[in-house]
């Protein structure tokens, strides 16, 4: 079917609102001229021409349907293929009961698929405003017109109670023109139309109906996107209507689909221009699986979820967005196996000291696919691993730093194509580096087959600010059989009676449910080893003790140095320090030791069958001179020229604040010429051997009173002296000789 416009210029101009009786007359003159031409030049066929003009049947409109929301009239009439195909039809549309012609058009029908032809016309004015009537006629051989059909009218609205405003309940399209009308009740006229509080120029449509035309509609900027229209009638009553303006649907952009479990597919897209929350242009979105018979799926604004079709791998889908102003469609094809995005849930995070075990669960059964996962730590790096667990539980152990706070996330993919979302970060702190150090003290009991072992242990934490929760300790030892003893978290030693054989001791610190640390030590056989000779340390270094000893090839596991914290005070609180293999020196800072206090250091070599005492070294961090005075032996033996002085003193007493290097004897003469309580130093006598506790002082005067002072010597000087006053004997022989 092809439509064409008539070439008769006089009546083809009758398509506008300016058509009038004059134009109709011009059309009739045109037909008369054509008829005359036929009679003059085709006389033989004149009868046929006359018959054709006067015998054409009057056409009839079979249906007239109004589509109010589109402001369209659908006109249908019957067509006979034998007589009229290829002929011209003229259509007129009028308004109001006066049939004012507003539209005139000629069409030609060249081919027809049915006996009924339907033609559509769109009105600028809402059809509800006034009556719209249609009539048709046709031309035989493009010249002779038939009579007009009867007018068929689509009635406008006739209000009974109040003024009606049109278009009604319809969203208007942004950027287009719109005509609004006010239809009053009978006997009432419209006096004004106000748009958004502004009176506008009105158009008369018949006697009562008034209209307003608005070009290039825009969406209002206020919160409620509505055009406010008020019609005022001759009685003063006002009628209100809100007209909504919107825009047509946008074509979905970036349409893509994915699945997390191979059973449910979710498609997402960019909906385009954002709609206001008060927009009344309600949209529907449907997804169609084109290569299946599944019913359309209702969708959300930018996503749609549907169940995967069993055995269907390739999907051809389309998304249709539709509203009052139109519709848009987008298509997409995909293989479901290529669009898997795994969803991950955290399992457990089990921090250790230098490693942490992470576990997570991949939802759904994806074990038949090549599942890859990435784990990232901050601070740190990203680790990629394969996960083919049947249960969907994935694990990884990360090497980390002790006592450090980390944040970790995980995500997974199938074949590395589409990566799922990162999980929410999980924070954890690795445990501080905790080491357990164990030592022992062995005491031989009176029974040669019995020994008392005091097992000592200490916990060392790499970070002093870290808090370590200890549940307790398990002490185990064995020889021919095994023994176990539990110690509370506050205890740091255990006393065990053993025999003369070799024993293996293990201390296990229970930190928490899944974490323990061990320490082991071997108690050697009782072989009655000889105690080494004690060596004195040089305390000339004020910074502390510089210990050194001879290397021992058999000390395959290093050395241990032990001492009492309070020196030789009783009881001894033992302290020890391990020295690694290959090192034979140890510096102990002076701040950990008390001045004037003697410390004895026992140095053990660690061997395969236990520890053996290698050296004993003793010394002071700093020697002091506050020594006790010796005890003088009385009576003092003397002659007229000498005195033999003896005393008692324990030079090896560890309570001394310094090592005793000897003694100092001071000789003072007492005379009448000396001030009361004073004496003059004659000379000093030093005793270099601290074990020698007597001295004979020669060259004294007879019958002379002397004060003798004896004090113990250290390298820092003499201590407190012990004093005694004696008088030498009289040499009677010498006196007799002088007298004689």
């Amino acid at each position: 079917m092809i439509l064409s416009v008539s070439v008769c210029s006089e009546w083809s101009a009758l398509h506008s609102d300016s058509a009038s009786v004059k134009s109709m007359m011009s059309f009739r003159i045109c037909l008369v001229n054509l008829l005359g031409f036929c009679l003059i030049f085709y006389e033989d066929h004149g009868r046929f021409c006359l018959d054709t003009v006067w015998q054409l049947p009057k056409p009839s409109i079979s249906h007239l349907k109004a589509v109010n929301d589109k402001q369209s009239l659908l006109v249908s009439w019957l067509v006979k293929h034998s007589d009229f195909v290829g002929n011209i039809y003229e259509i007129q549309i009028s308004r109001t009961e006066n049939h004012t012609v507003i539209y005139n058009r000629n069409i030609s029908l060249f081919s027809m698929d049915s006996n009924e032809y339907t033609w559509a016309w769109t009105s600028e004015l809402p059809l509800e405003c006034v009556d719209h009537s249609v009539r048709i006629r046709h031309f035989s051989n493009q010249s002779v017109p038939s009579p007009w059909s009867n007018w068929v009218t689509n009635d406008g609205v006739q209000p009974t109670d109040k003024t009606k405003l049109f278009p009604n309940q319809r969203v208007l399209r942004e950027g287009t023109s719109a005509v609004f009308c006010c239809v009053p009740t009978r006997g009432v006229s419209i006096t004004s139309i106000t748009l958004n509080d502004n009176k506008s120029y009105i158009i008369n449509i018949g006697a009562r109906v008034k209209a307003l035309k608005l070009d290039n509609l825009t969406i209002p900027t206020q919160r409620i996107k509505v055009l406010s229209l008020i019609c005022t009638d001759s009685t003063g009553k006002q009628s209100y209507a809100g007209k909504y303006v919107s825009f047509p649907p946008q074509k979905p952009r970036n349409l893509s689909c994915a699945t997390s479990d191979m059973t449910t597919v979710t498609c997402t897209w960019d909906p385009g221009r954002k709609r206001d929350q008060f927009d009344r242009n309600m949209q529907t979105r449907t997804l169609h699986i084109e290569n299946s018979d599944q019913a359309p799926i209702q969708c959300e604004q930018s996503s749609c979820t549907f169940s995967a079709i069993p055995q269907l791998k390739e999907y051809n889908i389309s998304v249709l967005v539709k509203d009052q102003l139109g519709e848009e469609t987008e298509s997409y094809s995909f293989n479901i196996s290529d669009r898997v995005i795994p969803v991950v849930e955290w399992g457990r995070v089990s921090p250790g000291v230098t490693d942490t075990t992470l576990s997570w669960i991949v939802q759904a059964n994806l074990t038949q696919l090549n599942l890859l996962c990435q784990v990232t730590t901050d601070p740190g790096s990203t680790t990629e691993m394969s996960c083919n667990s049947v249960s969907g539980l994935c694990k990884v152990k990360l090497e980390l730093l002790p006592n450090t706070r980390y944040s970790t996330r995980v995500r997974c993919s199938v074949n590395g194509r589409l990566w799922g979302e990162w999980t929410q970060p999980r924070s954890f702190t690795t445990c501080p580096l905790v080491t357990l150090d164990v030592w022992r003290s062995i005491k031989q009991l009176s029974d040669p087959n019995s020994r008392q072992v005091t097992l000592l242990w200490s916990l060392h934490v790499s970070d002093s600010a870290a808090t370590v929760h200890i549940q307790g300790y398990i002490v185990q030892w064995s020889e021919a059989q095994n023994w176990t003893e539990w110690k509370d978290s506050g205890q740091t030693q255990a006393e065990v009676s053993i025999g003369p054989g070799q024993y293996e001791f293990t201390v296990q610190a229970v930190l928490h449910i899944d974490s323990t640390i061990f320490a082991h030590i071997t108690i050697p056989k009782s072989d009655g080893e000889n105690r080494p000779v004690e060596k004195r340390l040089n305390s000339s270094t004020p910074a502390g003790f510089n210990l050194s000893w001879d290397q021992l090839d058999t000390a395959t596991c290093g050395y241990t140095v032990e001492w009492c914290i309070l020196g030789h005070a009783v009881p001894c609180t033992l302290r020890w320090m391990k020295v690694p293999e290959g090192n034979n020196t140890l510096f102990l800072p002076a701040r950990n030791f008390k001045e004037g206090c003697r410390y004895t250091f026992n140095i053990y070599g660690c061997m395969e069958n236990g520890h053996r005492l290698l050296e004993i070294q003793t010394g002071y961090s700093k020697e002091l001179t506050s020594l006790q005075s010796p005890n003088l032996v009385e009576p003092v033996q003397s002659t007229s020229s000498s005195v033999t002085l003896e005393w008692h003193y324990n030079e090896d007493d560890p309570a001394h604040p310094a090592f005793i290097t000897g003694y100092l004897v001071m000789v003072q003469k007492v005379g009448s010429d000396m001030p009361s309580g004073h004496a003059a130093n004659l000379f000093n006598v030093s005793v270099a051997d601290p074990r020698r506790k007597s001295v004979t002082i020669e060259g004294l005067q007879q019958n002379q009173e002397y004060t003798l002072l004896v004090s113990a010597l250290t390298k820092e000087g003499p201590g407190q002296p012990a004093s005694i006053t004696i008088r030498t004997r009289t040499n009677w022989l010498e006196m007799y000789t002088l007298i004689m």
Side-chain angles (χ1 to χ4, degrees):
M1 180 182 65
I2 301 175
L3 303 180
S4 64
V5 180
S6 173
V7 299
C8 189
S9 60
E10 284 82 6
W11 49 267
S12 64
L14 299 178
H15 64 282
S16 64
D17 292 340
S18 62
S20 63
V21 177
K22 182 178 179 180
S23 64
M24 293 296 295
M25 293 177 63
S26 298
F27 175 75
R28 292 174 180 175
I29 293 172
C30 174
L31 291 179
V32 171
N33 291 336
L34 289 174
L35 180 59
F37 184 82
C38 177
L39 293 174
I40 295 173
F41 294 96
Y42 301 96
E43 184 174 347
D44 293 340
H45 302 282
R47 181 174 181 83
F48 172 77
C49 289
L50 291 174
D51 291 342
T52 303
V53 172
W54 302 111
Q55 294 180 7
L56 286 177
K58 180 179 180 180
S60 171
I61 295 176
S62 56
H63 295 94
L64 177 63
K65 181 180 178 181
V67 184
N68 290 334
D69 58 343
K70 294 185 177 180
Q71 298 183 185
S72 295
L73 287 175
L74 300 180
V75 185
S76 300
W77 63 89
L78 295 176
V79 176
K80 292 183 180 181
H81 289 270
S82 60
D83 297 331
F84 305 117
V85 173
N87 288 339
I88 296 174
Y89 282 81
E90 183 178 8
I91 300 176
Q92 286 187 346
I93 298 176
S94 67
R95 282 190 183 134
T96 72
E97 60 275 8
N98 297 326
H99 295 298
T100 302
V101 177
I102 61 169
Y103 187 86
N104 197 98
R105 182 171 181 176
N106 292 349
I107 63 173
S108 294
L109 305 183
F110 293 103
S111 63
M112 293 289 297
D113 295 331
S114 65
N115 293 330
E116 187 175 54
Y117 175 71
T118 300
W119 177 79
W121 173 76
T122 301
S123 173
E124 194 175 43
L125 182 72
L127 299 178
E128 301 93 335
C129 295
V130 293
D131 297 345
H132 286 79
S133 302
V134 181
R135 68 177 180 177
I136 63 172
R137 66 177 177 177
H138 67 266
F139 292 87
S140 177
N141 295 325
Q142 301 184 5
S143 58
V144 180
S146 73
W148 285 102
S149 69
N150 295 330
W151 287 103
V152 179
T153 301
N154 176 69
D155 296 329
V157 173
Q158 297 295 331
T160 58
D161 54 350
K162 64 178 181 179
T163 299
K164 300 289 186 180
L165 290 80
F166 298 99
N168 186 31
Q169 296 181 346
R170 193 165 81 242
V171 177
L172 305 176
R173 181 167 181 161
E174 179 187 34
T176 62
S177 299
V179 177
F180 307 97
C181 73
C182 300
V183 183
T185 58
R186 290 188 180 277
V188 179
S189 61
I190 299 299
T191 58
S192 67
I193 301 177
T194 302
L195 179 66
N196 289 344
D197 297 330
N198 296 317
K199 287 188 177 181
S200 303
Y201 172 77
I202 59 177
I203 304 170
N204 296 321
I205 308 294
R208 296 181 300 115
V209 178
K210 307 297 181 184
L212 167 66
K213 184 176 182 181
L214 188 62
D215 294 323
N216 192 21
L217 292 172
T218 58
I219 299 176
T221 57
Q222 64 263 29
R223 182 179 180 185
I224 306 300
K225 312 302 183 184
V226 63
L227 296 174
S228 176
L229 191 68
I230 300 176
C231 296
T232 305
D233 62 24
S234 55
T235 66
K237 292 182 180 181
Q238 291 184 332
S239 296
Y240 167 84
K243 305 302 177 183
Y244 293 91
V245 181
S246 184
F247 55 90
Q250 307 285 295
K251 190 179 186 68
R253 297 180 295 181
N254 303 325
L255 174 61
S256 65
C257 300
T259 178
S260 63
D261 53 11
M262 298 290 287
T263 59
T264 302
V265 180
T266 298
C267 298
T268 59
W269 59 86
D270 180 359
R273 183 177 174 183
K274 185 177 180 181
R275 291 185 177 273
D276 187 83
Q277 59 178 329
F278 299 105
D279 196 321
R280 295 296 184 92
N281 186 19
M282 305 305 295
Q283 287 188 338
T284 60
R285 307 160 196 89
T286 53
L287 184 144
H288 303 259
I289 303 176
E290 305 293 350
N291 56 334
S292 78
D293 56 359
Q294 185 167 330
I297 300 118
Q298 298 299 317
C299 305
E300 301 294 332
Q301 180 180 9
S302 58
S303 66
C304 206
T305 300
F306 61 91
S307 297
I309 300 174
Q311 309 306 320
L312 184 63
K313 298 298 182 182
E314 297 289 339
Y315 285 78
N316 300 323
I317 68 162
S318 63
V319 175
L320 173 64
V321 183
K322 189 176 182 180
D323 59 24
Q324 296 185 37
L325 300 179
E327 62 183 47
E328 287 287 350
T329 303
E330 180 64 299
S331 300
Y332 179 68
S333 298
F334 64 95
N335 185 308
I336 190 171
S337 298
D338 296 335
R339 304 299 301 172
V340 181
I341 301 179
V343 176
V344 176
E345 286 184 355
W346 272 117
R348 295 185 61 186
V349 177
S350 302
V353 177
T354 58
D355 56 56
T356 294
T357 300
L358 308 177
S359 66
W360 60 93
I361 299 172
V362 179
Q363 295 182 2
N365 183 13
L366 302 178
T367 55
Q368 74 277 15
L369 304 175
N370 182 22
L371 193 63
L372 300 176
C373 294
Q374 289 181 340
V375 181
T376 180
T377 55
D378 183 21
S381 59
T382 299
T383 301
E384 186 169 307
M385 56 166 287
S386 177
C387 178
N388 296 314
S389 171
V390 176
S391 63
L393 179 66
C394 305
K395 287 186 178 181
V396 67
K397 180 178 282 188
L398 302 177
E399 299 297 325
L400 303 172
L401 297 175
N403 197 36
T404 304
R405 185 166 181 81
Y406 289 91
S407 176
T408 183
R409 298 181 299 161
V410 65
R411 67 176 182 176
C412 295
S413 170
V414 173
N415 295 322
R417 290 191 182 98
L418 297 176
W419 287 97
E421 296 291 332
W422 287 103
T423 60
Q424 290 296 316
R426 286 283 293 270
S427 297
F428 64 92
T429 302
T430 51
C431 300
L433 181 58
V434 180
T435 56
L436 185 64
D437 193 10
V438 65
W439 185 236
R440 88 295 185 274
S441 175
I442 305 173
K443 180 181 179 182
Q444 181 66 53
L445 300 180
S446 57
D447 183 355
N449 294 323
S450 297
R451 293 181 293 172
Q452 183 78 28
V453 173
T454 301
L455 201 66
L456 306 105
W457 59 84
S458 62
L459 213 60
H460 300 284
V461 183
S462 58
D463 187 352
S464 59
T467 302
V468 179
H469 298 284
I470 304 295
Q471 294 187 7
Y473 300 92
I474 299 174
V475 181
Q476 296 176 314
W477 66 97
S478 63
E479 187 200 29
Q481 66 183 66
N482 297 328
W483 294 270
T484 300
E485 186 175 325
W486 171 263
K487 295 294 181 180
D488 293 334
S489 60
Q491 295 179 280
T492 58
Q493 67 180 47
E495 292 189 354
V496 179
S497 295
I498 63 173
Q502 179 174 308
Y503 286 76
E504 304 294 331
F505 278 81
T506 299
V507 179
Q508 176 181 343
V510 182
L511 301 181
H512 44 75
I513 296 177
D514 296 328
S515 179
T516 57
I517 55 174
F518 297 84
H520 172 266
I521 193 169
T522 299
I523 305 298
K525 293 181 180 180
S526 177
D527 56 3
E529 62 179 354
N530 295 324
R531 187 175 178 84
V533 177
E534 188 175 286
K535 298 179 180 179
R536 287 189 177 182
L537 293 168
N538 185 358
S539 59
S540 60
T541 303
F545 291 103
N546 276 312
L547 305 180
S548 63
W549 55 90
D550 295 334
Q551 285 272 22
L552 188 65
D553 294 337
T554 56
T556 57
C557 47
Y559 303 89
T560 299
V561 179
E562 70 171 12
W563 68 95
C564 295
I565 294 177
L566 299 178
H568 286 272
V570 178
C572 170
T573 302
L574 200 63
R575 179 69 60 84
W576 70 95
M577 186 169 291
K578 301 290 180 67
V579 178
E581 178 188 2
N583 193 353
N584 65 331
T585 61
L586 177 64
F587 175 73
L588 300 174
R591 64 176 178 273
N592 297 325
F593 299 90
K594 182 180 178 181
E595 294 181 354
C597 184
R598 184 184 298 182
Y599 293 90
T600 298
F601 301 95
N602 297 324
I603 301 172
Y604 293 83
C606 179
M607 305 175 189
E608 183 178 356
N609 58 351
H611 291 75
R612 184 166 69 87
L613 183 61
L614 303 180
E615 293 186 17
I616 300 175
Q617 300 182 12
T618 183
Y620 299 85
S621 62
K622 183 178 181 181
E623 296 185 50
L624 303 178
T625 59
S626 57
L627 295 170
Q628 293 182 352
S629 59
N631 293 322
L632 295 176
V633 178
E634 297 187 54
V636 176
Q637 298 180 10
S638 65
T639 65
S640 60
S641 61
S642 66
V643 173
T644 299
L645 196 63
E646 295 182 12
W647 60 88
H648 296 298
Y649 200 77
N650 184 5
E651 68 279 4
D652 295 324
D653 187 356
H656 290 322
F659 288 120
I660 305 302
T661 59
Y663 303 94
L664 177 65
V665 179
M666 293 184 291
V667 180
Q668 296 180 348
K669 182 178 180 181
V670 180
S672 58
D673 56 340
M674 299 295 297
S676 177
H678 289 77
N681 282 338
L682 292 180
F683 54 89
N684 296 333
V685 177
S686 295
V687 179
D689 184 0
R691 299 188 180 280
R692 179 186 168 191
K693 301 181 182 67
S694 66
V695 65
T696 298
I697 302 172
E698 304 285 349
L700 301 179
Q701 295 178 2
Q702 64 171 332
N703 195 28
Q704 176 62 47
E705 192 174 22
Y706 292 93
T707 297
L708 305 177
L709 297 95
V710 181
S711 59
L713 277 178
T714 69
K715 74 170 190 174
E716 299 295 328
Q720 295 293 326
S723 64
I724 189 171
T725 301
I726 57 101
R727 180 178 290 276
T728 57
R729 296 176 182 275
T730 302
N731 191 344
W732 296 108
L733 179 60
E734 182 180 354
M735 185 175 293
Y736 177 76
T737 302
L738 290 175
I739 295 173
M740 291 298 295

